[in-house]
Amino acid sequence: MRGKPSRGLYSEEELKKHKKGKDHIAKELAKQDTLNDYDQLQVKPIPSHLDYYGKQEWKRIIPLLQQLPIAELDRQMIESYCQLHGYKRRLQKDIQEFGEVTNFYDDKGNLTNRRINPSYNAYLSTVKEIRMIANQLGMTINSRLQLAIPEQEKEEDEILKLLKG
């Protein structure tokens, strides 16, 4: 998240550039101020229930999340994200060790059956959950872009879509 922070927050000068009027500026600033009504995320102590990989992920993402309007209310979601990250890393190791598919052989050494490693399915569902939580926390490029695009640009895009058919 280098460069200009993508917080979706605008100064009064930036809002005046969009020429929507004083009412719009006042509403937008009031909406932004409501984000300050919530307690800031307490980054320490690191949750003790997280495993090694979860704690490492916590240390990695917290400085980045502090650039976004994340509050203490979001703590449970962040902890879940880190916990799922730890699960994912352990499942990756299991898949590397045992493979994606398990082969079963009879006494003569003939292949009798092949089954998907249960860790592989668990890994896929963990990745889906991580992606969903990351999107909700503004940790994906699309979710950050949605925070950064001013309302006027969104409205112009909708008008262009209507004109193009």
Side-chain angles (χ1 to χ4, degrees):
M1 285 192 242
R2 293 186 179 168
K4 183 180 176 185
S6 301
R7 292 185 269 181
L9 305 176
Y10 302 99
S11 68
E12 194 169 345
E13 292 78 32
E14 290 174 318
L15 288 170
K16 285 179 183 176
K17 290 178 187 176
H18 296 295
K19 301 175 184 174
K20 284 197 164 191
K22 292 179 182 178
D23 290 339
H24 172 73
I25 293 170
K27 285 179 187 177
E28 213 40 53
L29 290 174
K31 185 168 66 169
Q32 288 177 188
D33 284 341
T34 62
L35 294 174
N36 297 327
D37 293 345
Y38 302 103
D39 294 334
Q40 275 194 320
L41 178 66
Q42 300 299 314
V43 297
K44 291 189 180 183
I46 296 173
S48 60
H49 62 84
L50 296 177
D51 66 0
Y52 172 78
Y53 295 115
K55 288 178 181 177
Q56 292 301 314
E57 186 66 2
W58 179 274
K59 291 175 188 175
R60 184 184 77 82
I61 66 168
I62 287 299
L64 302 172
L65 287 176
Q66 287 178 321
Q67 296 176 16
L68 299 171
I70 303 292
E72 186 64 27
L73 290 171
D74 304 312
R75 183 182 189 85
Q76 184 63 41
M77 195 177 307
I78 297 167
E79 287 180 15
S80 296
Y81 172 86
C82 293
Q83 196 169 30
L84 286 167
H85 178 77
Y87 293 159
K88 183 184 84 143
R89 293 289 301 266
R90 288 197 313 269
L91 290 166
Q92 282 175 321
K93 285 185 176 188
D94 185 71
I95 293 167
Q96 286 175 347
E97 185 177 340
F98 298 108
E100 295 173 10
V101 177
T102 304
N103 297 323
F104 294 94
Y105 299 94
D106 61 10
D107 296 336
K108 297 177 184 178
N110 298 325
L111 180 66
T112 59
N113 199 359
R114 297 180 80 177
R115 291 195 183 151
I116 293 178
N117 184 346
S119 295
Y120 184 71
N121 288 331
Y123 173 81
L124 291 177
S125 64
T126 301
V127 168
K128 287 177 187 174
E129 285 294 316
I130 287 173
R131 190 178 324 134
M132 180 190 68
I133 293 172
N135 192 40
Q136 290 175 345
L137 290 172
M139 294 169 59
T140 64
I141 189 150
N142 288 339
S143 60
R144 286 193 310 275
L145 285 173
Q146 287 177 348
L147 289 172
I149 296 173
E151 291 296 318
Q152 183 179 358
E153 290 178 19
K154 287 182 186 176
E155 289 175 11
E156 288 175 5
D157 288 343
E158 290 173 13
I159 291 170
L160 287 174
K161 284 180 185 177
L162 288 173
L163 291 174
K164 290 181 180 178

